[in-house]
Amino acid sequence: MTRFAVIGDWGTSRLRLFRIEQGAIVARRDGPGIGAVGRAAEAAFADTIAPWLDDGTPESITLCGMVGARDGWVEAPYADCPADAATWRQTAVRFDWRGAQLAIMAGLACEGEDGIPDVMRGEETQIFGALALDPALATGRHLIVLPGTHNKWSLVEDGRIISFRTMPTGELFALLRDQSTLGPKVELTDPADEAAGFAEGLERAGDAKLLQSLFAARAMRLRSGRSGDWALGYLSGLLIGCEIAEIMTTLSGADGVVLIGDKRLSARYAQALDARGIMSRALDGDGCALAGLGFTGELTA
Amino acid sequence: MTRFAVIGDWGTSRLRLFRIEQGAIVARRDGPGIGAVGRAAEAAFADTIAPWLDDGTPESITLCGMVGARDGWVEAPYADCPADAATWRQTAVRFDWRGAQLAIMAGLACEGEDGIPDVMRGEETQIFGALALDPALATGRHLIVLPGTHNKWSLVEDGRIISFRTMPTGELFALLRDQSTLGPKVELTDPADEAAGFAEGLERAGDAKLLQSLFAARAMRLRSGRSGDWALGYLSGLLIGCEIAEIMTTLSGADGVVLIGDKRLSARYAQALDARGIMSRALDGDGCALAGLGFTGELTA
């Protein structure tokens, strides 16, 4: 009988399980996303973890992400903002699963100053992980953003998540690129052209007039000889630039911006923030997720 | 042999031909949009007009719209802004078609003060038609908007179109409604709820923060008990409200806003403009198109 614990990140599109022995990750197993299995979540989980159960029962299993959504395995509540890590951890739903203590971490809910409510499920684990990994984030006022399909801009003060706002910039970009008359509809061939378009989109976003700057992605191809690569970069730069223009007021008083997630996208956000004179730094998304689940050792597996 | 002329509006999705005798519309025939026929445009036109040619050749045929695009029948040039009606009319492409003088009206091109180029093809006919129909528009400074998939906001001064800007608000709304995770994905059942959502979207657009207000369409359903109808209205109000917020600077000094096109959509724009204290009035789109094509008589057919 080997003593071990299991932690896992189970989002819409994939399940990732990590086996921890004596403070180290010794194995990893991947399974289907919660979006693909829905109500059959328990069976999918049992399948994925099965080989590890041959030599014993884990001391604990801790899962985060959409596994705790209404359409997931077992619904986990939302912790209300402002929330610190301890409150959030207490809000997890816990039950016995085949002799092991299983916890599904809570999501977070908040109501903005403007009265708009918001929710997240999965990202909070990365944010609390970042706070655990980086003592500099535990005090002061920081803006943490997780760029992706639905960007979560979160205001953290003295170790508590005060509020956050979802900005669906990534989803909007994908719609404009793939489904609209503005996207280039071509395979990209010239990264330099795309980067030039990105820079021009950022610049155009200066006055935050998104709607009246969108059509330029098409008109500049028709009338000014710009390429499809340029147009794609332009749309990306315009959207990210407008997003940051909108968030500028929230930024005031923050000690800086921390980006968590995909390296390439984080670099784009860093460029956009830099264009407005805002310092940022990037943290690794996987490391933050694992830290949020309680593992702060070396990432070796 | 009856003396007659033919005018027609041939857009992407439909061809509408009108037969004019002695200053009156005596017949109308509909045909396929230029988007459906492309290079076979001439054959489609011949099919549609055929019954009228039995008793003679028209004195003139005048067509406007996407029929003059590069992928249309014969490409018509763009007249450059600022342009008055006379200049625009001269820019048409004219050729002999089966003994008749056929004209395909020009589009319009402009370069905005911000360096963004823009084009229109079809809408200019409605705008010049409005100027022909309404003497009050022939002098002073007016903002004319044609709401639709690609809204054209046009600045008209002393009878000339000075510049315009395409805002793809309608296309963006359709994408968000039909293809995004923010749209309600349900059949609408409650117009009052939809109207309430529209009003709330308009109000939310007050600070023109489109990206950070979009997700509320989903979050307010999840957390505040709002309906799918509400969410649809909210998205519409938010987009139209942000569009008008962006255009406010252009509005300064204008004698008012004239809306041309679909009645229901024009009413929505009128409501959004009114919420910002801007007067507007609506003109019938069909009447404006016919007037732009030279017919200013009674619309009887």
Side-chain angles (χ1 to χ4, degrees), chain A residues 78 80 109 114 116-119 150 165-168 171-172 175-176 179-182 204 208-212 214-216 218-220 222-224 234 239 242-243 246-247 249, chain B residues 78 80 109 114 116-119 150 165-168 171-172 175-176 179-182 204 208-212 214-216 218-220 222-224 234 239 242-243 246-247 249:
Chain A
Y78 292 108
D80 287 317
D114 53 8
I116 295 183
D118 213 329
V119 289
H150 289 170
R165 173 59 45 92
T166 301
M167 296 175 74
E171 181 173 5
L172 200 56
L175 286 172
L176 291 170
Q179 312 276 348
S180 82
T181 62
L182 307 178
R204 186 66 65 192
K209 293 190 172 175
L210 176 60
L211 293 170
Q212 74 177 41
L214 277 172
F215 196 70
R218 184 167 163 181
M220 295 287 278
L222 280 171
R223 302 286 296 173
S224 303
Y234 174 83
L239 284 171
C242 285
E243 180 179 2
E246 288 189 18
I247 216 76
T249 49
Chain B
Y78 292 108
D80 286 317
D114 54 8
I116 295 182
D118 213 328
V119 289
H150 288 171
R165 173 59 47 92
T166 301
M167 296 176 75
E171 180 173 6
L172 201 55
L175 286 172
L176 290 171
Q179 313 276 348
S180 83
T181 62
L182 308 178
R204 186 66 64 191
K209 293 189 170 175
L210 177 61
L211 293 171
Q212 72 177 41
L214 277 173
F215 195 70
R218 184 166 163 182
M220 296 286 277
L222 280 172
R223 300 286 295 173
S224 303
Y234 175 82
L239 284 170
C242 284
E243 180 179 2
E246 288 190 18
I247 215 77
T249 49

Side-chain angles (χ1 to χ4, degrees), chain B residues 69-268:
Chain B
R70 196 167 299 169
D71 298 325
W73 181 357
V74 174
E75 188 173 0
Y78 292 108
D80 286 317
C81 285
D84 59 17
T87 308
W88 168 66
R89 278 182 213 289
Q90 282 162 16
T91 314
V93 59
R94 291 166 213 277
F95 53 95
D96 180 273
W97 187 75
R98 302 192 181 177
Q101 182 69 243
L102 192 150
I104 298 179
M105 302 310 290
L108 280 191
C110 78
E111 181 157 315
E113 282 178 21
D114 54 8
I116 295 182
D118 213 328
V119 289
M120 64 168 71
R121 200 178 273 290
E123 294 91 348
E124 72 297 323
T125 306
Q126 290 182 296
I127 297 171
F128 284 122
L131 299 183
L133 284 175
D134 189 337
L137 294 176
T139 55
R141 182 180 160 101
H142 309 270
L143 207 61
I144 299 185
V145 57
L146 296 88
T149 305
H150 288 171
N151 304 343
K152 308 287 184 182
W153 288 84
S154 305
L155 183 63
V156 171
E157 215 171 275
D158 295 331
R160 297 189 312 163
I161 300 178
I162 302 298
S163 68
F164 57 90
R165 173 59 47 92
T166 301
M167 296 176 75
T169 316
E171 180 173 6
L172 201 55
F173 174 69
L175 286 172
L176 290 171
R177 179 191 58 200
D178 301 331
Q179 313 276 348
S180 83
T181 62
L182 308 178
K185 305 280 182 302
V186 289
E187 286 295 313
L188 293 191
T189 53
D190 190 342
D193 236 20
E194 198 270 346
F198 183 79
E200 201 161 335
L202 271 191
E203 200 181 320
R204 186 66 64 191
D207 55 4
K209 293 189 170 175
L210 177 61
L211 293 171
Q212 72 177 41
S213 303
L214 277 173
F215 195 70
R218 184 166 163 182
M220 296 286 277
R221 271 179 292 151
L222 280 172
R223 300 286 295 173
S224 303
R226 296 297 206 285
S227 71
D229 299 76
W230 181 91
L232 197 75
Y234 175 82
L235 285 173
S236 175
L238 178 66
L239 284 170
I240 293 176
C242 284
E243 180 179 2
I244 288 167
E246 288 190 18
I247 215 77
M248 285 297 283
T249 49
T250 314
L251 273 161
S252 68
D255 296 329
V257 174
V258 174
L259 297 155
I260 301 177
D262 177 74
K263 275 202 173 60
R264 188 177 167 280
L265 192 56
S266 290
R268 282 280 161 105

Side-chain angles (χ1 to χ4, degrees), chain A residues 104-252:
Chain A
I104 297 179
M105 302 309 291
L108 280 191
C110 78
E111 182 158 315
E113 284 176 20
D114 53 8
I116 295 183
D118 213 329
V119 289
M120 64 167 72
R121 201 178 271 291
E123 295 90 348
E124 74 295 326
T125 306
Q126 289 182 298
I127 297 170
F128 284 122
L131 298 183
L133 284 174
D134 190 337
L137 293 177
T139 56
R141 182 180 160 102
H142 309 270
L143 207 61
I144 299 184
V145 56
L146 296 87
T149 304
H150 289 170
N151 304 342
K152 308 287 183 182
W153 288 85
S154 305
L155 184 62
V156 171
E157 216 170 276
D158 295 332
R160 297 190 311 163
I161 301 179
I162 302 298
S163 68
F164 57 89
R165 173 59 45 92
T166 301
M167 296 175 74
T169 316
E171 181 173 5
L172 200 56
F173 174 69
L175 286 172
L176 291 170
R177 178 192 60 201
D178 300 332
Q179 312 276 348
S180 82
T181 62
L182 307 178
K185 306 279 181 303
V186 290
E187 285 295 312
L188 293 191
T189 53
D190 190 341
D193 237 20
E194 197 270 347
F198 183 80
E200 202 161 336
L202 272 191
E203 201 181 320
R204 186 66 65 192
D207 55 5
K209 293 190 172 175
L210 176 60
L211 293 170
Q212 74 177 41
S213 303
L214 277 172
F215 196 70
R218 184 167 163 181
M220 295 287 278
R221 272 180 291 150
L222 280 171
R223 302 286 296 173
S224 303
R226 296 297 206 287
S227 70
D229 299 76
W230 180 92
L232 196 74
Y234 174 83
L235 285 173
S236 175
L238 178 66
L239 284 171
I240 292 176
C242 285
E243 180 179 2
I244 288 167
E246 288 189 18
I247 216 76
M248 285 297 282
T249 49
T250 314
L251 273 161
S252 68

